[in-house]
């Protein structure tokens, strides 16, 4: 039997390397071209809630007054507005620039269900929006009328 030449060995080596690459790329090619993509769900990254969605607000303490969830319908609506509040996430550079221009902050203490300590929210009032620190320590900008959030 005749021994294969060096050229045939090189050709076989090239073919095996190409087959190996094809086997490695097969899963990606199947995902890309043969499997239909899932529905794209749009997630807005820039909108963040002020509170966690699980625990309801029991009581809120502002500098001039208190709100309780079980008193009047008007106070319950105001608490519900605060609980569902969402805002645009601000980056660190924007927060630093805004803090220099805004007046002194105020603070609101919020007691949530199943939590012993209140959550403190720092609030800066700008002419056209409110800058608030959410439960994760992120700063968000909220556009709302003063009467919508405060008495």
């Amino acid at each position: 039997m005749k021994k294969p030449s060096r050229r045939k060995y090189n050709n076989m080596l090239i073919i095996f390397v190409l087959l190996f690459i094809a086997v490695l790329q097969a899963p990606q090619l199947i995902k890309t071209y043969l499997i239909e993509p899932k529905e794209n769900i749009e997630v807005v990254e820039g909108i963040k809630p002020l509170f966690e969605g699980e625990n309801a607000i029991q009581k809120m303490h502002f500098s001039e007054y208190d709100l309780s969830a079980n008193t009047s319908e008007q106070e319950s609506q105001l608490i519900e507005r605060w609980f569902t509040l969402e805002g645009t996430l601000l980056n660190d550079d924007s927060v630093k620039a805004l803090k220099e221009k805004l007046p002194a902050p105020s603070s609101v203490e919020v007691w949530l269900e199943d939590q012993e300590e209140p959550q403190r929210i720092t609030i800066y009032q700008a002419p056209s929006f409110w800058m608030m620190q959410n439960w994760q320590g992120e700063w968000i900008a909220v556009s709302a009328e003063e009467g919508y959030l405060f008495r």
Side-chain angles (χ1 to χ4, degrees):
M1 190 162 181
K2 193 173 180 185
K3 198 169 150 186
S5 68
R6 187 181 281 216
R7 188 174 191 178
K8 285 185 181 180
Y9 276 123
N10 286 343
N11 288 339
M12 286 191 297
L13 183 63
I14 290 171
I15 291 172
F16 286 128
V17 168
L18 290 174
L19 286 174
F20 182 73
I21 291 172
V23 167
L24 289 178
Q25 293 296 322
Q28 184 64 32
L29 292 172
I30 290 171
K31 274 197 257 181
T32 304
Y33 296 108
L34 298 179
I35 297 177
E36 291 185 25
K38 296 178 183 174
E39 281 186 37
N40 291 337
I41 299 172
E42 281 190 43
V43 177
V44 179
E45 291 292 328
I47 305 296
K48 295 285 184 169
L50 186 61
F51 297 102
E52 286 183 278
E54 297 174 7
N55 297 333
I57 296 174
Q58 292 298 309
K59 182 180 171 186
M60 295 181 77
H61 172 72
F62 296 87
S63 60
E64 299 169 5
Y65 58 92
D66 290 340
L67 293 177
S68 214
N70 302 334
T71 53
S72 69
E73 185 176 330
Q74 183 181 10
E75 288 185 2
S76 297
Q77 287 176 348
L78 193 57
I79 287 175
E80 182 63 28
R81 289 180 199 154
W82 275 87
F83 188 68
T84 58
L85 204 59
E86 293 180 337
T88 306
L89 187 63
L90 297 172
N91 60 23
D92 293 335
D93 296 333
S94 298
V95 171
K96 286 178 187 174
L98 287 170
K99 277 186 180 179
E100 294 173 2
K101 298 175 185 176
L102 296 174
S106 60
S107 181
V108 176
E109 290 182 349
V110 179
W111 280 267
L112 300 169
E113 281 183 357
D114 302 329
Q115 289 187 357
E116 293 179 20
E117 291 293 316
Q119 182 176 339
R120 286 171 186 80
I121 301 169
T122 304
I123 302 170
Y124 287 91
Q125 182 178 6
S128 59
F129 65 93
W130 301 88
M131 190 170 86
M132 301 178 181
Q133 194 171 26
N134 71 359
W135 61 279
Q136 293 177 318
E138 300 168 324
W139 287 95
I140 60 173
V142 176
S143 297
E145 300 273 335
E146 187 171 356
Y148 184 77
L149 297 176
F150 302 96
R151 274 200 230 171

